[in-house]
Amino acid sequence: MSDLTRRHVLAAAGAAPLVFAAGSALAQTAEGQPMPAGAAPQPAPPGERMGWAIVGLGSYGINQVIPGFADARQSKMTAFVSGNPAKARDLGARHGVSRFYDYANYDTMKDNEAIDCVYIVLPVGLHAEYTIRALEAGKHVMCEKPMASTSAECEAMVAAARANGRQLGIGYRVHFEPHNREALRRIKAGEIGAMRYIQCDHGFNASLDYPPHKWRLDKVLGGGGSMYDVGIYGINTSLMMLEGDTPKAVSAIYAYPRDDPRFAEVEGGIDWRMTMASGINVQGSSSYCYGPYASRQRYFGAEASIIMDPATTYYDNALAIEGGGQPRREIGAGNSREQFAAQLDGFSEAARANRPHLTPGEMGLRDLRLMEAMYRSADAGGAVIEL
Ligand code: NAD
């Protein structure tokens, strides 16, 4: 072996020695190189990212919100708020979070400068209280959809944000989802011609045995039924694609088995229509009785239509264009998973600049007013409610 000018011998237990001889490519010394051209954008250093407290460590919080921070560049988790300290500490150890609060000492977050933004991921009936308390503690707040149980609560939340000079955003992640952003871009570019009609269906089969569904079937905690939980995707996403247009009238009809014991407090299904100032009708359904899962939007234009099925899921949305004299084309728009980090960073940037988020509290209030009008219509057997 002494005839080699430079070599390394690595002997793994039970394996033949590996000899890297000078002159072979493998004998080159490892050394630093410049940042690769085209390297992916890197996160800001931790000290420059906005610090977030996550309030409510349930299924959406743990499965979607927390993983979203792994891809975020402007946002980092600095605190967990939970009524279950063991769960919070266990998750904290796994995610590098070391500050913990519960619902009693919640307001003391005001003294923690490591918390810039608070993310409310609690059942709907608790959104208003914990959003307002966080705003009064001087924090910017991202609140999950639907914004609250009533439009009166939403108004109080918007007023609290203004009074405290803080931003309030609503967790309408679809605005940050690549397929939906691409659909919006193509609609705006005129690729389907003038919009004529939008159809949307959202639903799943609710189970009283599954805790995250249990509170959704409880009026106080859920606020409303399927319309609040999933119908809101149809309303909000359609309005996203109809930017600049305004709803002028709504009507709705309940659509679910009235003897189903799951729906003693909230509606199991509702079919609705929203007429825009332009005359375009948006027609949708939302249900807790659909199996397995419906999440679809269809945009009918004068020349072509966009089909999104699924349209508003976490990981696997699809976008296709049909018509315009061409066969149906599937459009790849990116990875739906990106929406979680994009939403976090979008809010961090808005909070840092103290300017309104893409999906602000006022948008959540608008949607609550629309849903309340739809319930009024359904209660009246489908009467048209002028807005
Ligand atoms: P979940 O039941 O899994 O989690 C709720 C959390 O709130 C749990 O950690 C629970 O311990 C806590 N909590 C505190 N007080 C409670 C009480 N009195 N009753 C019940 N739970 C209480 O629910 P989830 O599915 O994670 O939904 C949480 C929020 O996130 C809701 O506002 C929901 O609409 C929203 N969400 C949004 C999306 C989305 O795609 N944007 C998806 C799912 C849920």
Side-chain angles (χ1 to χ4, degrees):
M1 300 232 286
S2 58
D3 57 323
L4 297 174
T5 53
R6 198 175 79 209
R7 70 191 168 193
H8 301 277
V9 178
L10 302 175
L18 290 172
V19 179
F20 301 124
S24 82
L26 284 172
Q28 298 296 316
T29 305
E31 58 187 28
Q33 300 293 316
M35 182 70 90
Q42 295 300 298
E48 293 173 22
R49 282 182 245 161
M50 297 293 265
W52 288 64
I54 313 302
V55 184
L57 302 173
S59 53
Y60 188 65
I62 293 173
N63 295 329
Q64 280 75 42
V65 173
I66 290 177
F69 282 90
D71 295 329
R73 300 191 198 114
Q74 302 295 332
S75 320
K76 64 180 179 189
M77 292 184 289
T78 48
F80 285 153
V81 181
S82 172
N84 181 337
K87 177 176 65 176
R89 284 178 190 280
D90 177 61
L91 286 165
R94 294 168 194 278
H95 292 283
V97 171
S98 56
R99 297 176 184 86
F100 304 100
Y101 295 86
D102 57 30
Y103 300 112
N105 66 13
Y106 186 80
D107 308 285
T108 65
M109 282 199 291
K110 73 174 184 311
D111 301 321
N112 191 338
E113 289 185 358
I115 301 171
D116 303 294
C117 306
V118 169
Y119 197 151
I120 308 293
V121 206
L122 292 167
V124 182
L126 301 169
H127 286 184
E129 176 185 345
Y130 288 93
T131 293
I132 292 171
R133 282 169 65 180
L135 289 165
E136 288 177 347
K139 308 303 179 185
H140 302 280
V141 178
M142 164 74 82
C143 176
E144 258 314 316
K145 46 56 59 180
M147 182 169 170
S149 296
T150 64
S151 57
E153 285 183 345
C154 297
E155 284 162 12
M157 293 158 82
V158 168
R162 286 194 190 134
N164 290 284
R166 293 292 179 270
Q167 294 304 319
L168 171 58
I170 308 303
Y172 289 130
R173 57 181 168 75
V174 172
H175 292 247
F176 298 87
E177 196 279 323
H179 298 80
N180 282 278
R181 294 193 65 78
E182 179 64 10
L184 175 61
R185 189 190 70 73
R186 287 173 183 259
I187 288 167
K188 278 180 164 177
E191 285 195 27
I192 64 169
M195 186 79 81
R196 297 291 189 227
Y197 171 60
I198 300 178
Q199 188 177 28
C200 34
D201 301 287
H202 295 266
F204 61 90
N205 226 325
S207 166
L208 274 166
D209 298 328
Y210 179 54
H213 288 181
K214 207 169 151 71
W215 65 254
R216 284 170 167 80
L217 297 168
D218 173 308
K219 171 86 174 147
V220 172
L221 283 173
S226 61
M227 166 69 85
Y228 267 42
D229 196 45
V230 287
I232 193 168
Y233 285 106
I235 296 170
N236 185 271
T237 306
S238 300
L239 292 176
M240 169 183 171
M241 303 300 170
L242 289 171
E243 202 178 280
D245 208 348
T246 323
K248 285 292 169 210
V250 297
S251 60
I253 286 188
Y254 292 118
Y256 63 99
R258 299 306 173 93
D259 57 353
D260 188 323
R262 291 177 295 173
F263 309 123
E265 298 195 13
V266 301
E267 97 285 350
I270 187 163
D271 300 341
W272 50 270
R273 179 180 292 178
M274 179 165 68
T275 300
M276 307 298 295
S278 62
I280 295 168
N281 285 320
V282 181
Q283 188 153 304
S285 74
S286 53
S287 181
Y288 278 157
C289 312
Y290 289 165
Y293 194 89
S295 162
R296 64 181 198 197
Q297 297 273 134
R298 184 158 185 160
Y299 305 96
F300 293 83
E303 287 155 32
S305 68
I306 286 181
I307 304 118
M308 301 192 67
D309 187 7
T312 61
T313 59
Y314 300 148
Y315 309 121
D316 56 358
N317 295 312
L319 168 60
I321 297 192
E322 209 169 68
Q326 292 184 52
R328 178 179 166 126
R329 286 153 286 151
E330 305 293 333
I331 313 285
N335 189 334
S336 296
R337 180 181 292 269
E338 291 167 18
Q339 65 189 312
F340 301 105
Q343 175 174 252
L344 292 170
D345 283 343
F347 189 75
S348 281
E349 283 164 16
R352 189 188 298 284
N354 211 1
R355 59 159 169 75
H357 181 51
L358 183 62
T359 60
E362 287 79 358
M363 181 183 279
L365 168 60
R366 174 201 69 187
D367 294 351
L368 251 292
R369 286 182 176 144
L370 287 168
M371 292 192 295
E372 286 176 341
M374 287 176 188
Y375 282 132
R376 283 204 300 283
S377 166
D379 288 343
V384 173
I385 308 282
E386 304 289 340
L387 302 169

